[in-house]
Amino acid sequence: QVQLVESGGGLVQPGGSLRLSCGASRSIFSFTAMGWYRQAPGKQRERVAIIGSGGSTNYADSVKGRFTLSRDADLNAAFLQMNDLKPEDTALYYCYAQTGAGNYWGQGTQVTVSS
């Protein structure tokens, strides 16, 4: 079992920044992949950014150049730095971890971009 706990969401104006954090209950290097998904009202959940066990990172086209995914093995955590936020980034953001035993999700943290 893996527990994932997100934090860092909130209300921000367009053009602003937020940093999301995801704490894991065990070593993040035991995951084959780790990253962030989001789901806006009335839309399907979509992948935002993901990092593989080898360190390669993949971003959704809509966030390339604005979002950065990083991880800290000492903290067993992953982070999503979000800059130049747009209203269309408004969604519930979920942390995700893939392991050999299954896939795990956090409870989500709300990000709202509005003036």
Side-chain angles (χ1 to χ4, degrees), residues 69-84:
L69 172 62
S70 61
R71 57 186 180 178
D72 188 320
D74 292 336
L75 299 176
N76 286 335
F79 307 94
L80 187 67
Q81 177 66 44
M82 305 186 295
N83 298 328
D84 189 25

Side-chain angles (χ1 to χ4, degrees), residues 28-34 50-58 69 71 98:
I28 63 173
F29 287 130
S30 69
F31 304 155
T32 53
M34 188 175 188
I50 197 159
I51 186 166
S53 58
S56 60
T57 306
N58 183 270
L69 172 62
R71 57 186 180 178
Q98 181 184 71

Side-chain angles (χ1 to χ4, degrees), residues 9-93:
L11 173 64
V12 64
Q13 292 187 341
S17 298
L18 283 174
R19 185 182 190 229
L20 304 184
S21 300
C22 173
S25 59
R26 71 184 205 207
S27 171
I28 63 173
F29 287 130
S30 69
F31 304 155
T32 53
M34 188 175 188
W36 294 87
Y37 283 68
R38 67 185 181 187
Q39 187 166 18
K43 294 188 177 181
Q44 289 188 331
R45 191 174 296 190
E46 64 172 351
R47 188 167 72 188
V48 176
I50 197 159
I51 186 166
S53 58
S56 60
T57 306
N58 183 270
Y59 295 93
D61 287 343
S62 59
V63 307
K64 282 180 181 177
R66 300 189 297 122
F67 291 11
T68 302
L69 172 62
S70 61
R71 57 186 180 178
D72 188 320
D74 292 336
L75 299 176
N76 286 335
F79 307 94
L80 187 67
Q81 177 66 44
M82 305 186 295
N83 298 328
D84 189 25
L85 282 160
K86 306 176 185 299
E88 52 264 40
D89 295 318
T90 295
L92 190 59
Y93 282 71

